[in-house]
């Protein structure tokens, strides 16, 4: 390919939650299948420096990258669809841009100039985008929020300028909108899309490709109408219909000509993509041979996005075993044991704070006693260890210092750990943002352990996001309680994996394996957990 990256900007209109992230990720997958290299980045208009301090209730899961950035959950989609690990430089927020500009202002870098949104903020945004130059054939750049939001404006202005500077031969604007179905008229309506494109044009951006989301097929007449009113070539109004599984999106976009039109826009030729892997994933996801019921004891029972990667990783495990995973959220405020009844597997995911913790401990006990597969992730490992210490380790008041004073804190605040050969230190009362043990750290697995068998190797590297850690000083008592620390940090100080050899499948991990699972490469812990749940289902 000729020098210089091509930039594809993805904006959204009409309503939020249209799946821009998914659309960007699927387009990335298609371009990769055509033999190009792709980098996906996300510009987020909110003022938080990163989503690490935002409630998953409001903003969905916080996705952690290899290099320890707390980022938007769309980066999870990008990784799951492209297989390429995202990094800190793939996500920026208004908060980060302003922090940068204000620091420069205080240093006196602007030499007496009045610091303004245009050009200083927009320049900082353009610099962020331009940093990706040459790193891939295509840079797909998604802009969070909805066109028309005040917060979006500096980003739209920046990408408009950027598009002008690199020229239309190297920049394409794509816009994702919604065609709502109006039951009384029996029609999909194009007017909101027309208005949204008008809004975009009013800030100087003319979309070259439009992805029209709809819950039913769009008549050729309606597509023609959009093309005419929105000034977009007929073949470039792509119907983006709801699908049964998100992994079908690359296939449906391809069938509607998205990748063909994108390449035609840039004047590029490429062989037809081989999408057989995606077709196979969809076939398996749509025709499972059975079902397993996984009870999830978490905090956010109502918002699926709060555990986005977790649900996806469970589905990947299901695809590997040809079963559908029926994930059932357990209400920690209700009767936990009654809700667990009939579960083929119990999963306690990551979490923070004291709310619902006793219910999680109850779930770990129930799974241990009933010999039902148990998978504890981060907080889920810590509660399983507390449960064992209380019931079997002779420490009836075992607790975590995260839960407040009192009791024996067998899980304590980490004040020091090692990163790349250097000690990282944290004070108890320090900042909350970005100060956890974040990103990929290695661990060494005990030979012959379940963990070592599941991974098929002795050394692993997994992503972390936690402030507390099981205190290795209690190892003796915990081993007497039947737990084995089958994974440790290389210096032997931080327990990374705990398991119960007296149980069919009981593992707690201090890290987040769900973040790296892919539909075409399910994480081995999820594959093994679902396989154990399938075996459990056969027992009852
Ligand atoms: N709250 C626990 C800690 O900070 C667990 C974190 C998590 O589950 N991600 O250590």
């Amino acid at each position: 390919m000729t020098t210089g990256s091509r930039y594809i900007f993805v904006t959204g209109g009409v309503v939020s939650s249209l799946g821009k992230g998914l659309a960007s990720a699927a387009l990335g997958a298609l371009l990769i299948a055509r033999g190009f290299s792709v980098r996906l980045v996300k510009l987020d208009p909110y003022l938080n420096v990163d989503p690490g301090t935002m409630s998953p209730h409001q903003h969905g899961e916080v996705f952690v990258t290899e290099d320890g950035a707390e980022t938007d959950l769309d980066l999870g989609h990008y990784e799951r669809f492209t297989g390429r690990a995202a990094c800190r430089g793939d996500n920026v927020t208004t908060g980060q841009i302003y922090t940068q500009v204000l620091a420069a202002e205080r240093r006196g870098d602007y030499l007496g100039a009045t610091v303004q949104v245009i050009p200083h903020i927009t320049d900082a945004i353009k610099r962020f985008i331009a940093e990706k130059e040459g790193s891939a054939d295509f840079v797909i750049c998604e802009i969070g929020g909805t066109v028309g939001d005040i917060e979006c404006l500096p980003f739209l202005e920046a990408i408009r300028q950027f598009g002008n500077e690199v020229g239309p031969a190297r920049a394409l604007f794509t816009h994702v909108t919604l065609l709502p179905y109006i039951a009384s008229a029996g029609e999909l309506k194009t007017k909101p899309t027309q208005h949204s494109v008008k809004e975009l044009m009013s800030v100087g951006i003319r979309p070259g490709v439009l992805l029209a989301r709809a819950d039913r097929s769009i008549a050729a007449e309606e597509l023609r109408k959009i093309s005419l009113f929105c000034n977009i070539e007929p073949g470039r109004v792509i119907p983006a219909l709801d699908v049964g599984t998100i992994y079908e999106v690359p296939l449906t976009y391809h069938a509607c000509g998205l990748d063909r039109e994108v390449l035609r826009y840039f004047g590029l030729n490429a062989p037809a993509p081989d999408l057989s892997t995606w077709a196979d994933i969809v076939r398996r996801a749509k025709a499972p041979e059975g079902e397993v019921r996984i009870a999830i004891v978490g905090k956010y029972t109502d918002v699926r996005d709060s555990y986005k990667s977790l649900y996806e990783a469970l589905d990947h495990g299901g695809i590997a075993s040809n079963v559908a995973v029926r994930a059932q959220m357990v209400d920690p405020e209700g009767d936990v044991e009654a809700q667990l009844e009939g579960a083929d597997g119990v999963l306690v995911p990551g979490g923070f704070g004291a709310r619902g913790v006793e219910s999680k401990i109850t779930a770990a006990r129930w799974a241990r006693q009933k010999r039902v597969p148990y998978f504890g992730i981060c907080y889920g490992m810590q509660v399983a260890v507390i449960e064992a210490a209380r019931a079997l380790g002779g420490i009836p008041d075992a607790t975590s210092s995260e839960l407040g004073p009192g009791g024996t804190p067998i899980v304590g605040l980490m004040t020091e750990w090692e990163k790349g050969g250097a000690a990282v230190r944290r004070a108890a009362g320090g900042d909350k943002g970005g100060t956890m043990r974040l990103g990929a750290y290695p661990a060494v697995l005990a030979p012959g352990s379940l963990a070592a068998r599941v991974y098929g190797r002795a050394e692993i590297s997994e992503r972390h996001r936690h402030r507390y850690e099981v205190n290795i000083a209690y190892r003796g008592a915990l081993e007497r309680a039947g737990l084995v620390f089958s994974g440790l940090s290389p210096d032997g100080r931080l327990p990374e994996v705990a398991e119960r050899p007296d149980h069919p499948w009981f593992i707690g991990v201090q890290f987040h394996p769900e973040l790296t699972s892919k539909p075409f490469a399910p994480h081995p812990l999820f594959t093994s957990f679902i396989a154990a749940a399938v075996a459990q289902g056969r027992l009852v």
Side-chain angles (χ1 to χ4, degrees):
M1 191 155 143
T2 51
T3 49
S5 299
R6 266 80 171 168
Y7 294 84
I8 302 173
F9 295 101
V10 181
T11 53
V14 181
V15 292
S16 59
S17 304
L18 277 181
K20 283 194 306 285
L22 212 52
S24 308
L27 175 57
L30 288 175
L31 293 171
I32 288 174
R34 292 251 191 189
F36 296 102
S37 60
V38 172
R39 178 156 184 188
L40 283 133
V41 297
K42 172 101 196 263
L43 312 178
D44 273 312
Y46 49 75
L47 272 165
N48 301 61
V49 170
D50 63 43
T53 52
M54 279 157 128
S55 161
H57 239 320
Q58 278 192 24
H59 190 69
E61 156 189 282
V62 175
F63 189 80
V64 181
T65 58
E66 287 290 300
D67 56 356
E70 295 177 289
T71 68
D72 188 79
L73 59 76
D74 277 324
L75 273 77
H77 285 313
Y78 302 167
E79 286 202 16
R80 284 187 285 275
F81 278 80
T82 65
R84 178 188 174 279
C87 63
R88 185 176 295 279
D90 292 339
N91 188 199
V92 80
T93 66
T94 299
Q96 280 168 35
I97 295 284
Y98 271 81
T99 303
Q100 230 180 67
V101 170
L102 293 178
E105 186 274 335
R106 290 290 81 183
R107 278 196 308 269
D109 291 0
Y110 297 113
L111 305 173
T114 307
V115 181
Q116 292 176 301
V117 173
I118 305 171
H120 301 99
I121 294 297
T122 45
D123 279 354
I125 297 171
K126 284 194 292 179
R127 266 197 308 277
F128 171 81
I129 301 168
E131 268 168 29
K132 279 84 209 165
E133 176 54 39
S135 62
D137 297 330
F138 286 98
V139 175
I140 301 177
C141 180
E142 178 193 349
I143 292 87
T146 308
V147 167
D149 294 349
I150 289 177
E151 292 90 339
C152 276
L153 279 174
F155 288 103
L156 296 179
E157 172 60 15
I159 62 171
R160 181 193 69 76
Q161 292 177 15
F162 193 97
N164 262 350
E165 285 160 21
V166 298
R170 285 183 54 213
L172 165 66
F173 294 95
T174 61
H175 192 49
V176 186
T177 70
L178 175 73
L179 306 192
Y181 178 75
I182 303 299
S184 57
E187 285 179 350
L188 287 170
K189 291 294 183 186
T190 65
K191 193 74 77 190
T193 293
Q194 295 175 38
H195 279 288
S196 178
V197 170
K198 202 165 138 191
E199 184 80 34
L200 205 51
M201 303 257 264
S202 74
V203 293
I205 293 174
R206 183 178 158 203
V209 168
L210 192 117
L211 286 164
R213 294 292 320 273
D215 66 357
R216 62 202 68 211
S217 69
I218 309 170
E221 182 49 36
E222 304 304 319
L223 292 173
R224 255 197 308 277
K225 200 154 120 190
I226 298 172
S227 155
L228 183 69
F229 284 106
C230 300
N231 222 358
I232 296 169
E233 267 192 42
R236 293 183 182 166
V237 180
I238 309 283
L241 308 187
D242 292 354
V243 283
T245 148
I246 56 169
Y247 301 118
E248 210 171 339
V249 176
L251 298 171
T252 54
Y253 281 4
H254 174 68
C256 294
L258 177 64
D259 46 325
R260 181 196 65 219
E261 287 305 318
V262 166
L263 295 184
R264 202 166 66 79
Y265 173 89
F266 287 111
L268 295 169
N269 280 317
D274 176 5
L275 299 176
S276 54
T277 307
W278 293 106
D280 186 50
I281 291 165
V282 170
R283 191 181 47 74
R284 282 156 165 269
K286 285 193 156 176
E289 286 160 10
E291 181 180 277
V292 285
R293 204 192 118 188
I294 304 297
I296 301 179
V297 193
K299 187 148 106 186
Y300 315 104
T301 49
D302 47 348
V303 192
R304 244 185 112 83
D305 272 0
S306 310
Y307 297 111
K308 190 80 208 162
S309 296
L310 183 72
Y311 285 118
E312 294 306 321
L314 283 168
D315 282 348
H316 304 162
I319 289 170
S321 283
N322 273 325
V323 292
V325 175
R326 197 146 58 84
Q328 218 155 319
M329 290 307 298
V330 170
D331 176 5
E333 247 103 75
D335 180 342
V336 174
E337 296 202 10
Q339 295 176 79
L340 292 173
E341 212 46 63
D344 303 316
V346 175
L347 193 151
V348 178
F352 294 86
R355 219 185 91 206
V357 70
E358 290 303 326
S359 296
K360 296 176 188 184
I361 292 172
T362 302
R365 190 190 60 228
W366 185 89
R368 174 174 62 78
Q369 290 177 339
K370 303 271 181 188
R371 301 179 63 74
V372 171
Y374 178 86
F375 192 6
I377 294 181
C378 207
Y379 212 21
M381 169 194 179
Q382 298 174 359
V383 299
V385 172
I386 292 172
E387 191 281 319
R390 285 185 185 174
L392 307 165
I395 314 176
D397 65 347
T399 184
S400 164
S401 44
E402 183 171 6
L403 308 177
T408 306
I410 61 162
V411 179
L413 185 68
M414 268 184 300
T415 51
E416 191 182 317
W417 63 91
E418 206 173 278
K419 174 110 198 168
V424 182
R425 294 206 171 76
R426 293 279 182 258
D431 273 2
K432 284 272 184 283
T435 55
M436 280 187 265
R437 183 171 178 248
L438 288 165
Y441 284 87
V444 180
L445 303 179
S449 62
L450 175 58
R453 276 179 280 133
V454 165
Y455 276 94
R457 55 180 195 271
E459 273 179 43
I460 58 168
S461 170
E462 292 279 8
R463 297 185 200 173
H464 293 69
R465 181 173 186 247
H466 62 125
R467 215 180 286 284
Y468 300 86
E469 180 85 39
V470 175
N471 189 338
I472 194 86
Y474 293 95
R475 187 175 190 167
L478 294 167
E479 283 181 349
R480 281 194 297 282
L483 279 173
V484 165
F485 289 105
S486 53
L488 292 171
S489 58
D491 63 5
R493 288 171 57 193
L494 304 177
E496 293 277 9
V497 187
E499 61 184 74
R500 295 200 72 84
D502 63 356
H503 188 282
W505 206 99
F506 193 106
I507 291 189
V509 294
Q510 190 54 75
F511 44 81
H512 289 274
E514 73 275 24
L515 300 177
T516 48
S517 187
K518 316 274 188 305
F520 42 82
H523 192 288
L525 280 169
F526 281 89
T527 309
S528 178
F529 174 57
I530 296 299
V534 171
Q536 176 73 22
R538 287 205 193 98
L539 289 178
V540 288

